[in-house]
Every structure is written in C-alpha cells, then in structure tokens.
Amino acid sequence: MEKAIIGKKVGMTQIFDETGHVIPVTVIAAGPCTVVQKKTDETDGYSAVQLGYEDVPERKLTKPELGHLKKAGEGVLKKHLKEFKLQNSDELNVGDVIDCSVFAEGDRVDVTGVSKGHGFQGVVKRHGAAIKRMTHGGGPVHRHQGALAAGTYPGHIFKGRDGAGQMGNEQVTVLNLDVVKVDTELGVIAVKGAIPGPKGSVVYLRNSVINVKEKGADAGISKNPQKASGRNPQKASARNA
C-alpha cells in the first residue's frame, strides 16, 4: 500500500533504541491532511489524489482557490496543496482525512522539502572549491574562481559550469529514510537522519521508491560460482551469522 502525507519540520533530536544506541532523528508534525481532489484515468488520464494541509482563513484565499476547495466540502480550507500519484488512490475519496497513523515504525520514506537559502555565494562555499595560497603577492583573490581555461576551443564557457551564484532555496528529496517512531497522540513522525529545509518548513512524505534488498543471512547464499559466497557457502554463512 502506498502512503503519503504533508507535514512541517519541527526540528532534530535524538532517541535511544533498545540496545542503548543513539539515533539522530528529525521530528515532523505530519497531517492531518484532507483529500481535496481525486483524479482518475477516465477524466484526467492518470490516477492521483491531491492532499490539503493546514487550515487557513477564507479571507486569505483567492476566489479560484475557494472554488476549488469548496468542491471538497464545506469548511475545507487548506493552505498547502500537493498531488501524489498513488497506486491505491482509487481507495481514497474526496473529503477523507489522512493522519500520521498511516505510517508505522520500520517504514522507509522519501522526504521532499525546500533547502535553506544562503543567497549569493562564491565557489568556495557553494561548490567546495580550493582557495589559493595565503602567501604574499596573492592579492585579494584568494577565494576567487580564477581562469576557466577557455582557449581556441570551445572559445566559451560551457553552460552549467560551477561558479558563484544563488545557493540553496531549491527542492531537494532525501531518499530511503527510516521511520523510527510514530506518535498518533501528538501527530508527529520521527525519521532517522536530516531532511532539507529550516524549522517550520513544509515537507512531503511518501513511500520510498528504492527497493531495499535484504543483506546478510536473510538474503540467502549466492548461487553464482564466481562469488566467494557461492564457492564456499559454509564460510559465507559463518561470516553472516
């Protein structure tokens, strides 16, 4: 079953597992979200649902936004809208409410957000370029990019070359994060690791697109005779134990 939800980044903290190991987690206030639109193959050519998150006063919405949201029912006024293509979107209907309970501990999710904006930055901070030697005669160009070696060919700088410019403030997706804890009373989800964006920014969670393969003893012994585990199964089983 594919799942998705909209939330806000609360911040980072750490929790301890059963063995006492520290797990760095990001706390996300997820949902509740309302299904405000449903797209089908017959009407739109594909299946998807549009979720709405965070209530907003009617005076802060435009007339087109009000007309769109009122199709989901009276009182459904949402600030953030996001469409998700889910395989089981046919099971959802307009007006259904989705909360953080759709996810469970052990799930793997992809989190999408907008990274922090850092304004105009040079190549040292933006791309990790090296600085010049800090000796005398260097002049005020220690952190400059320098020549890009455009000679007879091609005679210009290729498009996309790293240089100074706007840093951050772009959509970033972090793949395959573990859901460590789900608190339905507080409406929060704790995922392992960091996610893009500042505190209070809107993020989108959905099932991970990465198919994780089991490792170790759960994966079984390789049948390929070219691999060490296939040539010596007993040694491989002892190593995976």
Side-chain angles (χ1 to χ4, degrees):
M1 176 181 177
E2 289 190 336
K3 300 168 283 187
I5 200 169
I6 309 173
K8 277 190 175 183
K9 179 179 177 179
V10 178
M12 291 198 69
T13 184
Q14 59 186 23
I15 60 177
F16 297 88
D17 60 8
E18 296 80 3
T19 60
H21 292 96
V22 176
I23 303 176
V25 297
T26 301
V27 180
I28 301 172
C33 299
T34 304
V35 179
V36 299
Q37 186 182 19
K38 181 178 179 179
K39 296 189 176 182
T40 61
D41 295 327
E42 294 77 14
T43 58
D44 303 280
Y46 66 98
S47 298
V49 291
Q50 187 184 67
L51 302 183
Y53 172 69
E54 192 177 3
D55 295 333
V56 62
E58 184 176 347
R59 58 184 173 82
K60 292 189 176 182
L61 296 174
T62 63
K63 287 186 178 180
E65 290 172 339
L66 284 172
H68 175 70
L69 291 172
K70 285 185 177 179
K71 295 178 182 179
E74 291 296 330
V76 181
L77 303 177
K78 299 298 180 180
K79 185 177 181 180
H80 305 285
L81 302 178
K82 177 68 174 179
E83 183 178 293
F84 296 93
K85 291 184 179 180
L86 306 177
Q87 294 180 352
N88 58 324
S89 59
D90 296 336
E91 303 175 4
L92 299 173
N93 298 312
V94 175
D96 290 350
V97 178
I98 299 175
D99 56 17
C100 65
S101 62
V102 296
F103 289 95
E105 297 180 12
D107 289 347
R108 294 180 181 270
V109 295
D110 297 338
V111 182
T112 302
V114 178
S115 61
K116 293 181 180 180
H118 296 274
F120 188 94
Q121 298 296 333
V123 291
V124 175
K125 182 173 182 179
R126 190 181 185 209
H127 296 289
I131 63 174
K132 298 174 177 60
R133 291 190 296 269
M134 304 298 289
T135 55
H136 68 282
V141 294
H142 298 292
R143 296 175 67 88
H144 288 197
Q145 187 170 25
L148 297 181
T152 304
Y153 177 83
H156 63 88
I157 301 174
F158 286 114
K159 186 178 181 180
R161 186 71 163 84
D162 56 335
Q166 165 69 33
M167 179 180 177
N169 193 29
E170 58 185 1
Q171 180 172 293
V172 180
T173 300
V174 181
L175 302 176
N176 203 29
L177 296 178
D178 292 322
V179 175
V180 179
K181 191 172 184 180
V182 177
D183 193 324
T184 55
E185 295 183 2
L186 298 178
V188 297
I189 298 175
V191 297
K192 184 178 180 180
I195 63 174
K199 296 178 181 178
S201 60
V202 177
V203 295
Y204 310 107
L205 285 78
R206 64 166 301 152
N207 294 87
S208 180
V209 297
I210 298 178
N211 184 16
V212 179
K213 297 182 179 180
E214 297 292 340
K215 296 182 180 180
D218 297 333
I221 299 174
S222 175
K223 303 300 182 181
N224 188 349
Q226 300 297 325
K227 294 185 177 180
S229 57
R231 294 193 301 268
N232 193 344
Q234 186 175 6
K235 184 177 180 180
S237 61
R239 182 174 62 250
N240 295 329

